[in-house]
Amino acid sequence: EKEDMEVSAVVESSPGTQGPVTRELETEPSAQIGDSNRTVPSIDPSTRRSDSPGVDQMETPNVASELQMAHALGKLGAIRLKQGKLNEARLALTESLNMRRKCAPGSSVADLLNNIGNCANIQELERNEVSLDFYYQALDDLQSHQGSTADIAHTLYNIGRAEIQMNYWGPATTTLNAALEGALEVFGKDHVYIAQCLDLIGYAHFSTAHFDLAIENFQRALDVYRRV
């Protein structure tokens, strides 16, 4: 089983495992990879009420405190996912997602979407479209927030892996090549993440009987594994 990827995205995973990390998502401007028209809904956190005639008060919960709670829940969910406690992980991650959308509707939540997607990927092996939907939401989020090339590449890797699990060989090859392009830009050619992308691309070609391309990508992956 391949070791987890060491990239700046919030979720680290390999074809057989999902291994989250707990750092916050970086959103430095960068080149965007991939394309999707889906959008992530946001919730207005402000509510108003009148306690007595002529007095209109705005409810002012401690937004900063709620955001701290949301981030703590996200980290707890990431740890539970790492431990394989998927129900606890998904509950914590979903609660964190809802709180962050409520308290800071314009902020990026791609880290949570990727981790929830990983939970779904493990829990619902016969319904990988569930995890795929979360990964696409994460990609939309990163593109709308000018996410880093590394985070976008990693999310594309998650999408490509899910497409391979669903036997979507053509789309998977395209997606993984986009992930590889971004990874090469960020990490260079001698990084385990590059080998993992090449490995999956090789598997997609093997599964469609494109054996020459499969051998080429497997050999490239092997060469990288030997160097790192």
Side-chain angles (χ1 to χ4, degrees):
E1 186 172 341
K2 304 178 183 63
E3 64 182 278
D4 291 347
M5 289 182 287
E6 298 174 359
V7 296
S8 63
V10 177
V11 183
E12 297 182 354
S13 56
S14 61
T17 61
Q18 290 74 23
V21 295
T22 58
R23 58 184 174 273
E24 295 304 322
L25 187 70
E26 299 174 359
T27 56
E28 298 177 358
S30 62
Q32 294 184 0
I33 308 172
D35 183 32
S36 178
N37 295 321
R38 302 185 224 187
T39 57
V40 182
S42 60
I43 302 171
D44 186 352
S46 302
T47 56
R48 301 182 66 86
R49 63 183 174 87
S50 295
D51 287 337
S52 59
V55 178
D56 187 18
Q57 292 184 333
M58 172 139 349
E59 289 186 342
T60 55
N62 190 332
V63 174
S65 177
E66 286 198 33
L67 278 174
Q68 290 175 346
M69 290 174 58
H71 288 304
L73 280 166
K75 292 174 182 177
L76 176 63
I79 293 170
R80 293 304 188 204
L81 175 56
K82 187 73 171 178
Q83 294 174 327
K85 298 179 179 180
L86 302 179
N87 290 331
E88 294 178 34
R90 198 162 180 177
L91 284 173
L93 292 165
T94 301
E95 185 175 359
S96 176
L97 177 65
N98 291 336
M99 291 177 69
R100 282 170 61 176
R101 281 177 167 171
K102 176 182 177 182
C103 297
S107 64
S108 175
V109 289
D111 54 338
L112 296 171
L113 292 166
N114 263 314
N115 275 347
I116 294 171
N118 278 347
C119 284
N121 188 263
I122 300 171
Q123 286 180 307
E124 306 179 50
L125 293 178
E126 301 303 319
R127 298 178 57 206
N128 281 309
E129 68 272 10
V130 175
S131 62
L132 195 59
D133 183 64
F134 280 108
Y135 295 145
Y136 269 117
Q137 288 187 53
L139 182 62
D140 290 340
D141 182 290
L142 287 167
Q143 291 176 331
S144 66
H145 289 89
Q146 292 187 303
S148 71
T149 302
D151 290 334
I152 292 174
H154 184 81
T155 302
L156 286 167
Y157 177 91
N158 282 344
I159 293 171
R161 187 191 65 236
E163 288 172 337
I164 278 183
Q165 291 169 335
M166 299 173 72
N167 298 334
Y168 294 166
W169 310 116
T173 302
T174 300
T175 303
L176 290 165
N177 273 299
L180 177 63
E181 179 183 347
L184 285 168
E185 178 183 338
V186 175
F187 304 115
K189 63 180 181 179
D190 292 337
H191 193 282
V192 67
Y193 181 41
I194 305 301
Q196 290 178 339
C197 285
L198 290 167
D199 201 1
L200 279 186
I201 293 169
Y203 182 72
H205 286 307
F206 170 79
S207 300
T208 53
H210 296 131
F211 298 125
D212 289 342
L213 289 172
I215 290 171
E216 176 186 341
N217 282 277
F218 284 142
Q219 185 62 58
R220 290 176 64 192
L222 180 60
D223 290 343
V224 176
Y225 280 128
R226 285 172 171 167
R227 291 195 299 265
V228 298

